Structure formats: structure tokens, C-alpha cells
Amino acid sequence: MGSFISISEAAPTTVPKRRFRFGGILRFTILLAVAFCSMLGAWRYVRKLSPEVELYTFAAHKKIAYARELDKAGLPKIVIYGGSSCAFGVNTDQMRGEFHLQAVNFGLHAGMGPVVLTGLALKYTNPGDTLIVSLEPILLNMSFDWPALGDQISYALKAPDLCEGGPLRIQRRGAFGVFLTLRPGAENILRFLPSQLRHQYVEYPRSTFSPSGWQRYDVHAEPKARGVGTVISADSQMLLKRLKKYCLEHSIRVAYAMPWLYCDGSRLSTYKETFARFLYEMNKLIPVLRDPTLGTDTDPNDFADGPLHLRPPAATRRAEQLAKLIIEWRTWQPKELAKYFEPSRSDPE
Amino acid sequence: MNFTDFTFWQLLFAGCILWMIVRITIPGKIRGECSFDKFALLFLDLALIANVGLPTFLTFLTVSVGTYIWLFFIKRYPRLKWTAPVLFAYQLLPLFYFKYSNFLLNEVSHLQIPTIKDLLIPAGLSFYTFQKVAFAVDTLHYKLPLPKPLDYLNFAGFFGQIVAGPIERRANLLPQMENFRLRWDLGRINKGLSMIILGFFFKSCLADNLASLAVALRTNSENVYLIWVTNICFGFQIYFDFAGYSFIALGLGRVLGIELTLNFRSPYWSTSVQEFWRRWHITLSRWFRDYLYIPLGGGRTPLWFLNVLVVFIVSGIWHGAGWNFLIWGFIHGMALVLERIFKYPKIHAFLGWLSTSLIVFFAWMFFYETNSGMLVKKVARVFTPKAYTFGHWNAAYEAMAATQAGLVFVMIGLCALVLLLERFNWSEDGPNYSPFYRIEFQAMMLVVTVFLAPVKSNGFIYFNF
């Protein structure tokens, strides 16, 4: 085979002498300082120039302030939380005005992830309050992705504990590395910075948030129907079980309310069957409010800029319906949901 | 063992702290006598491999320990030398089972065995299997002594090279492991850290951003310009991904006082495919040269071109079990054969570089496109002269502008800058990365990486191999 072990390729086997170099220490210190300052600069950039972080931190502060104001009155309140479908879709102003419910809408950005959203809402829910979970099904279909936006907003709110679900304390792998997510990334900078520099809104204006947290946004674009998975991931099941346990221990009433999703009217029965399956699974974990639509909405005019973002009239209708369900505390029974589909024999009744 | 996973660094740091604490408590003389540092390094290696997953750990032990025991018996009882081919089969068996059984039995033979579908390949299997085969061949062919078990295990399992190479040889790594003692040399640590910074810049800043682009653009099979942009994005991505990993591995080794082999030397400035393979994944190329090409007869037989083709087809299959990888290897093999027959890259360096780049970036299409229907469409499009119109160019630009044009231009521009820096420090054999170790560049790379690296990192591409 020839001599293929080349002597020149072999590394020297002699051990180098120990040397002390001041230049080495200086270099190391400079690079460490550069890394540290870059991280600080990146975090400052995210805090000031990332429109998503800026807007949703503002929104979260507004919702927290409103929740505290309600607490001062001493009456039990209703905390409704989820992603943007919740922010747009529940007119909590109406719930207070017409039904005298002390409701606060903690809907923020679904991209923050279910753990941070749940942690934030739970942190401002007291014993005797009602917590309505209105997380988007797609967030619950998947395993936790621990999105950076959730970490960034948690830190912007000076509440890093939210990264682990606040009071739920959900352990996450590599938790110490969370601070590494407090950076913008090229995609964020190149997507947002040009518009930011031109002072153009790249997200929604701050004025869209009402004091109670509802996001009023009256535009219209034709929505495109989307599917929903029927499975609740193991991670989400764990989250919801912990949430239920926590609520039981702290005398908090909890239920799930399905967001309204635009559905193609010609396939309504298929959608209802799918949504019923999802809610059937959900019902095994926490009670589900008895919304007869099951979350289906076939009117495209009800939607603003997406198939989950309701326009104000639809958000008001949904709020009225939710208010009645909460007052009467009407929840689905498994058998009722099962009527929409044939449950497999292994499913418990 | 994902170097971009924070858990890896936590474990490594915790392991090193423990190492230091125990080291301080043991008197120096005893420490030397009981080879404390070697045991500590082995403990760290095994802990890090076990952290990847149990199948990875067990497969690693099966291949590595099995190889040693087998060689031990052959050395002890020379009449067992005839079992050497069985040893090679034993070494290659896990690789065939995990990586090729589905392709050979289900896709080629149509046996449709469900149990071998979707098998997860233990991390680093292709790399350490090749390392162990080389070790066994060297030990038996050159009648070299078997090292002590501790030194062998450190050689076989050094965490920096176990998952994605470099595929280290006995001649380079084993003597270092035999003489291993932990020493703190600030100059060496600084050099190691510089390599780690360079590696992270390549991987996290360049490769990870290019990955999102390559994925976004990959669905197009109509516009020929977009196909080429995808090929370029993927070509840059795979280079910076793998070179980045290799630099981190080299840097970690350097910090501990272990010199691993440089796996890349500015391959995209090669003026021939042959030169490309002297600069791309160097340790694998050398492995194929020394353990396959030369034993087949090398370039000195009349059928040398068949040897070249065999080597490159096997290289293609090593990268993945699929027809596309096989064709990728064949394209490179054919290019090399044609180069040697017609000697066209020697006409002019620029023409050589251009033809090499065209071949290499065209061939990447077979690497990333695993959907055969799409692949056929893309190849047909690339070879359709009518597809190269100004109208298609405009459409490609609009398609990019509609998605992430800024990111495409910034990332390709940044990659081009890095390649230019490599070019300015060009040398035939020496490393081409020395400007990157200068403190001003290191500082710049740190800042750019912190700001531009995506907040969620992708896995290393070569982990799949």
C-alpha cells in the first residue's frame, strides 16, 4: 500500500514549555470584553429596535397595569389569555361594559410560545379569579420550541422566570443558555430595520390595544382556511396538567375556550369533526367552554388580517358569547363532543 | 455532541471544573504515576458521548472496544491473523445496519422490511468507523504494537473528533494521547479560542443564516437562476457548517493541548476538482486515497480511471444512502477523470477555477435535493439554454425580493468577503485562515456573530452522515 503514514502530518509529540505571556491575557480579556459588550449591545438593540419585542412588551405592561387596577377593586377577575387570536378575538371592553365582568385580555403574540404566555397570565391571576385558556390549537399540537421571542419579552418585562412558565416552573434543557437568545439575528435586523429607520409601522400601532388588553384592528383581507391538528403534544399535556393542578391548589377556576378560526363553509362538517376531536382531547385535561360553533367561523368578513384575527364586530360577538358561558359556567361533556365524530374504542368516556 | 448546543458547553465546563478540583487534591507525583489526566480525559470523553444518547454511546463502545479486543487476540495469537477481514466486517456492520440497510434492502431490493425503515443513525458512526478501520489496517499491516487500552480509548473517543471528524490517524493522534498531560499554556489556549471563535462565526453566523435561505429557495424547480442561487447558498452553507464544526473541534483540542488535523483549506479557491478534494474534508479524502484508491492500484494501472470512479462513488455513498449521493460522487469522479485526460484546468488558472466552481456547485444539487422528481426537473432546467433569459432573471430577482432578498445579498456578500480574505492569504499547502486569528478580525467576528447569528441554531449537516 505504500507509506501512507506521513511523518510530516504527525503532530509534534514533545510537550511545549510553559510560558507566561502578558499579551495573551490582554488578548483574552479584550475578546471577552468584546463578547460581553456585543451581548449587551444586541440586547439593547432587541429591546429598542425589535418592533415585536417593543410592541408586545408595551402591550404586556398595559395588560398588567389593568389587571392590577382590577385587583385593587377587590372583585374576582377573569383573565383570558392566548396568542394574537385571543388579543384580537375577545372584546374584553364589551365584557365589562355589558356583562359587568372584570375581564382582562392577556392575549399577546403566539410566537412567544405557550409556556411564557401561560406563565404571564398565571402570574397575574389570583385565588378566586377565573382563567380562560385560549391558546391556538397549533401551539398545543407541537412540542415546545422555546421561541426566542418569549425569552426576549420575559427579559424585557424584567421577569426571566416567565421563560419557565412563571409559577409553573417548567424545567427546560439548557436553561442557562436563555441569555444567548437575547439577540436580534440577521433575519430580524434585515426585515425590520429599514422600515424602523423610515419610521414605518412594521407591527400594529400601539393605539390598537384598549386598556383591558383587547386589540382592536379593523382591516380586512381575504382569509385562507387552515387546518388544525387533533393531537395535544406531550409537552402541552404536561403544561395543561400542571396548570390545572396549580389552579386547583390556588382556587382558580380554569377552562379552555377555542379561538374562532376561519373555515371553508363547504367543508364545515369536516372542520367541526376535527375541532371536536381536538376539544375532546382537551376536555380530558381541562374543562372546555361550551361554544356551540366549536371555534368554526365561515364568514370571511369576520376576519382582519389572518384566519385567526377577528375584526371588532366578530370579537364583540365572541366576547358576548364567552361572557354568557363564563357566567353560567357551561362546559362540554365528553359525550356531547363525541357526537361529532366516532371516538375510538380505547378512548375513555 | 452538538457544539452549538449550550448543554454541551455546560457539561464540558462542569467536567473540566471537576477535573481541576480533583487534580489539585492529588499530589503531582501520584498524579503522574496513575496517569490521572488521561483517565480524566477519558471520563470527560465518555460523559460527553453518553450525553448525546444511549444508542450513540453503545454503538461507539461496540465498535471501539470490539476492535481493540479483536486486535489484541490477533496480536497475541498470530495464527488468528486470517480473521482480519472478519474484523473489518465487524467494524462496518453497525454502519451498514444503521445507514445502508434500508437503502439496500428496501429501496434497491424492494424487500419492504418495515423494521429497518427510519432507523436513527448513531451520531458520528461513519466517522469513527472509518477511524477504527484505519487503526486496524495500520496496526496489522505495519505490525505496529497495540497501545495501552487507556491511550487507545482516548484516541478512539476524543470528544472533539468523535461526531464529525476530523478522521484522525493513529500516527497523528495516538502519540499525543500517549504523552497526554494537561498543561496550561496561555498562547495555546488563545489560539484554541481563536479557532473556536472562527468556528462559531462560520457555523452560527454564516451557515445557519444560509440554511434558512437554502430551505426557502429549495422548493423552486422552474427558474434556473433561483436554482443556481440555491446551489450557491447550499454550497456556502455546507462549507461554513462543516468547516465551522472542524474549527471548533480543532480549537477545543488545542485548548487541551491536542493538535487535530485541519480538515479544510479554502476549497472554493481550487483550480481543479483534484485540488478541491485536496482541500475539502481533507482527512476523508486521505482516508479514501490511502485505504481504497492505493490498494486498488492507484493511478499507476491502465484502469486508473475505474479506481477514481470507484473511490468517488464510495465517497458518495459514505455521505448518504441514496441514488442522489451516488450520482454526486460519480459527477466528481468523472470530472476528475476528464481533468486528468484533457488537463484543461491547466490552460488558465481562472478558467480552472471557474470550471471547478461550476462543477462543484452544480453537484451540490444532488446533495441537498433528495426528492428525485424535483432533482430531475432541476437538472433538466439547468441544461435548458432557453431558461437563461433576461425575463427569468427578473423573475428570480422578484422572487427573492418577495422573500428575503436582503438576507440573500448580505449573506452571500459576507461569504464572498470571507472567501476573499482566504484568497489574500493563499498558499499551496499552508493553512489559509491566519488573518482570521488576528485580534481585530476576531473582535469583528464576535460582534457580527452575536448580532447576526439566528437565535435558533440548526444542527450540523455532517451529523447526518
Side-chain angles (χ1 to χ4, degrees):
Chain A
M1 273 201 278
S3 149
F4 55 75
I5 300 178
S6 158
I7 298 301
S8 62
E9 283 166 22
T13 53
T14 51
V15 182
K17 281 182 183 174
R18 193 185 295 232
R19 281 172 292 176
F20 183 82
R21 285 195 229 161
F22 180 71
I25 293 180
L26 188 67
R27 181 190 165 93
F28 183 78
T29 315
I30 289 172
L31 290 177
L32 201 66
V34 168
F36 183 73
C37 292
S38 304
M39 281 304 297
L40 281 183
W43 172 228
R44 180 106 183 132
Y45 178 95
V46 167
R47 190 70 188 81
K48 297 287 172 195
L49 286 168
S50 174
E52 285 173 328
V53 174
E54 192 270 336
L55 180 74
Y56 290 102
T57 306
F58 161 80
H61 276 306
K62 197 163 185 174
K63 290 159 198 255
I64 291 166
Y66 188 72
R68 284 185 175 146
E69 202 179 292
L70 292 180
D71 287 338
K72 276 182 194 165
L75 292 167
K77 66 178 183 296
I78 294 159
V79 176
I80 306 165
Y81 83 93
S84 56
S85 70
C86 175
F88 286 99
V90 186
N91 180 352
T92 32
D93 296 350
Q94 174 79 359
M95 289 173 96
R96 190 176 194 187
E98 195 166 320
F99 296 91
H100 308 291
L101 291 176
Q102 311 287 312
V104 56
N105 186 329
F106 261 92
L108 287 163
H109 192 309
M112 290 164 64
V115 174
V116 173
L117 289 169
T118 306
L120 181 64
L122 206 53
K123 202 168 176 177
Y124 298 96
T125 310
N126 302 320
D129 290 349
T130 301
L131 182 69
I132 304 297
V133 184
S134 192
L135 291 165
E136 288 80 348
I138 196 160
L139 281 183
L140 301 168
N141 296 150
M142 300 182 298
S143 303
F144 294 159
D145 189 30
W146 304 107
L149 186 64
D151 296 338
Q152 292 170 351
I153 291 175
S154 302
Y155 273 78
L157 291 170
K158 296 190 174 72
D161 61 312
L162 294 180
C163 300
E164 295 187 341
L168 295 182
R169 291 188 185 169
I170 292 164
Q171 292 290 316
R172 57 191 277 189
R173 208 171 138 84
F176 288 116
V178 169
F179 70 91
L180 290 176
T181 63
L182 307 179
R183 304 180 291 105
E187 212 178 319
N188 182 300
I189 292 177
L190 294 168
R191 188 154 60 111
F192 294 134
L193 191 62
S195 312
Q196 288 278 84
L197 293 175
R198 289 197 299 267
H199 300 287
Q200 290 173 342
Y201 283 119
V202 286
E203 288 288 320
Y204 305 102
R206 283 181 169 198
S207 57
T208 54
F209 287 96
S210 80
S212 71
W214 172 47
Q215 196 171 0
R216 184 191 174 90
Y217 195 56
D218 201 3
V219 297
H220 177 61
E222 277 305 301
K224 283 182 184 167
R226 262 196 227 161
V228 166
T230 57
V231 178
I232 298 174
S233 71
D235 280 348
S236 302
Q237 287 192 29
M238 179 269 292
L239 174 79
L240 293 169
K241 278 177 189 167
R242 284 199 189 191
L243 176 67
K244 190 181 179 185
K245 188 170 174 257
Y246 180 89
C247 290
L248 266 174
E249 286 168 1
H250 293 81
S251 310
I252 296 168
R253 201 163 55 150
V254 64
Y256 180 78
M258 182 78 166
W260 285 5
L261 179 72
Y262 173 67
C263 302
D264 178 0
S266 62
R267 294 172 57 222
L268 185 61
S269 57
T270 314
Y271 276 101
K272 283 201 167 181
E273 188 185 316
T274 312
F275 290 14
R277 278 182 192 276
F278 172 77
L279 293 174
Y280 184 82
E281 293 302 316
M282 178 61 73
N283 205 31
K284 292 175 187 170
L285 301 161
I286 54 173
V288 177
L289 288 180
R290 203 179 183 289
D291 174 357
T293 68
L294 296 171
T296 57
D297 185 346
T298 54
D299 185 357
N301 291 319
D302 279 350
F303 293 88
D305 58 346
L308 277 156
H309 292 180
L310 292 182
R311 292 172 72 189
T316 305
R317 274 205 329 271
R318 184 168 178 231
E320 285 171 1
Q321 190 208 56
L322 262 182
K324 286 175 193 165
L325 291 173
I326 292 166
I327 290 166
E328 295 168 16
W329 202 248
R330 289 172 62 200
T331 56
W332 285 108
Q333 294 303 310
K335 280 179 186 172
E336 292 173 313
L337 285 169
K339 277 182 191 167
Y340 290 91
F341 63 96
E342 280 291 320
S344 61
R345 284 181 185 178
S346 59
D347 283 339
E349 280 293 310
Chain B
M1 208 173 305
N2 186 347
F3 293 156
T4 57
D5 183 2
F6 197 73
T7 318
F8 164 78
W9 293 96
Q10 275 177 289
L11 195 61
L12 179 66
F13 196 66
C16 288
I17 297 268
L18 186 69
W19 184 348
M20 292 305 106
I21 291 170
V22 180
R23 198 173 194 273
I24 289 164
T25 55
I26 299 175
K29 199 180 169 192
I30 299 172
R31 215 163 52 209
E33 282 169 4
C34 72
S35 307
F36 170 76
D37 286 330
K38 290 183 188 177
F39 275 108
L41 181 63
L42 179 63
F43 177 76
L44 189 64
D45 289 336
L46 295 179
L48 288 167
I49 298 170
N51 184 51
V52 178
L54 194 62
T56 295
F57 185 66
L58 292 178
T59 318
F60 165 75
L61 283 185
T62 307
V63 175
S64 303
V65 178
T67 298
Y68 188 86
I69 293 171
W70 204 305
L71 284 172
F72 173 81
F73 280 108
I74 292 178
K75 285 276 171 191
R76 187 85 182 259
Y77 309 104
R79 66 174 185 280
L80 290 176
K81 205 173 175 184
W82 66 270
T83 61
V86 190
L87 165 63
F88 299 136
Y90 166 81
Q91 289 176 312
L92 292 168
L93 195 66
L95 186 65
F96 272 94
Y97 174 70
F98 285 108
K99 200 165 173 177
Y100 303 111
S101 57
N102 181 47
F103 177 67
L104 290 174
L105 300 177
N106 286 343
E107 285 190 35
V108 179
S109 310
H110 302 288
L111 291 176
Q112 303 305 330
I113 304 167
T115 48
I116 54 170
K117 275 182 183 168
D118 305 320
L119 280 174
L120 280 178
I121 306 169
L125 180 60
S126 311
F127 291 89
Y128 62 73
T129 299
F130 269 36
Q131 187 196 32
K132 304 307 171 279
V133 169
F135 176 80
V137 171
D138 289 355
T139 306
L140 294 175
H141 187 78
Y142 293 102
K143 297 184 173 59
L144 298 171
L146 208 56
K148 289 176 185 167
L150 179 61
D151 297 328
Y152 168 76
L153 281 174
N154 270 324
F155 157 76
F158 178 57
F159 68 90
Q161 45 107 47
I162 196 76
V163 173
I167 303 168
E168 289 294 345
R169 302 281 186 82
R170 180 187 166 124
N172 180 34
L173 193 56
L174 190 62
Q176 297 188 67
M177 290 307 178
E178 284 170 341
N179 295 314
F180 180 73
R181 251 188 80 190
L182 193 67
R183 282 172 187 273
W184 295 113
D185 180 305
L186 208 59
R188 204 184 58 210
I189 292 172
N190 264 322
K191 186 68 192 288
L193 290 176
S194 301
M195 287 176 155
I196 292 171
I197 290 171
L198 176 62
F200 270 106
F201 172 67
F202 275 16
K203 164 64 187 164
S204 302
C205 182
L206 301 180
D208 282 353
N209 276 313
L210 287 163
S212 62
L213 289 177
V215 168
L217 296 169
R218 212 175 279 180
T219 49
N220 159 74
S221 64
E222 293 302 317
N223 191 305
V224 74
Y225 296 108
L226 280 181
I227 294 172
W228 277 109
V229 171
T230 315
N231 291 358
I232 291 169
C233 280
F234 182 79
F236 282 165
Q237 181 203 345
I238 195 168
Y239 167 54
F240 289 116
D241 188 282
F242 196 17
Y245 174 90
S246 299
F247 276 114
I248 299 171
L250 254 73
L252 282 170
R254 189 67 74 97
V255 169
L256 291 170
I258 294 159
E259 304 253 354
L260 299 177
T261 311
L262 193 66
N263 230 355
F264 290 88
R265 282 181 177 155
S266 309
Y268 284 144
W269 286 113
S270 308
T271 52
S272 66
V273 175
Q274 189 181 22
E275 190 187 353
F276 177 80
W277 282 103
R278 280 205 302 263
R279 294 175 174 276
W280 179 277
H281 203 174
I282 295 164
T283 53
L284 181 74
S285 305
R286 285 181 186 166
W287 194 98
F288 277 119
R289 181 194 67 195
D290 296 338
Y291 299 102
L292 190 60
Y293 181 62
I294 293 173
L296 283 172
R300 292 179 183 172
T301 63
L303 294 174
W304 61 270
F305 57 91
L306 275 183
N307 295 343
V308 172
L309 286 179
V310 166
V311 166
F312 276 92
I313 288 170
V314 174
S315 168
I317 295 168
W318 180 88
H319 283 88
W323 294 108
N324 54 321
F325 289 106
L326 200 142
I327 298 168
W328 173 79
F330 181 76
I331 291 170
H332 275 274
M334 273 309 289
L336 217 129
V337 169
L338 293 175
E339 264 179 20
R340 278 183 65 174
I341 293 172
F342 298 109
K343 297 185 170 47
Y344 64 86
K346 290 187 179 169
I347 299 168
H348 191 277
F350 176 74
L351 287 179
W353 171 78
L354 193 67
S355 64
T356 305
S357 301
L358 276 173
I359 292 164
V360 168
F361 282 98
F362 167 73
W364 284 134
M365 199 158 59
F366 293 83
F367 217 81
Y368 70 77
E369 191 52 80
T370 47
N371 180 325
S372 52
M374 283 283 272
L375 183 60
V376 171
K377 271 187 191 174
K378 285 183 178 180
V379 173
R381 207 72 189 146
V382 166
F383 287 106
T384 307
K386 282 179 186 172
Y388 294 88
T389 60
F390 193 68
H392 279 116
W393 172 257
N394 281 341
Y397 183 80
E398 277 167 23
M400 281 194 287
T403 51
Q404 294 160 311
L407 197 55
V408 174
F409 294 126
V410 168
M411 292 326 296
I412 291 184
L414 208 52
C415 293
L417 251 171
V418 170
L419 294 185
L420 278 175
L421 261 176
E422 287 180 12
R423 179 69 194 169
F424 286 139
N425 196 50
W426 180 255
S427 67
E428 273 308 307
D429 300 309
N432 304 112
Y433 300 92
S434 49
F436 295 100
Y437 301 138
R438 289 166 60 171
I439 188 159
E440 58 271 32
F441 280 105
Q442 289 270 304
M444 258 191 280
M445 284 190 294
L446 268 176
V447 175
V448 172
T449 305
V450 166
F451 273 84
L452 297 189
V455 277
K456 292 279 174 194
S457 180
N458 297 295
F460 287 94
I461 295 178
Y462 263 69
F463 280 11
N464 302 325
F465 308 143

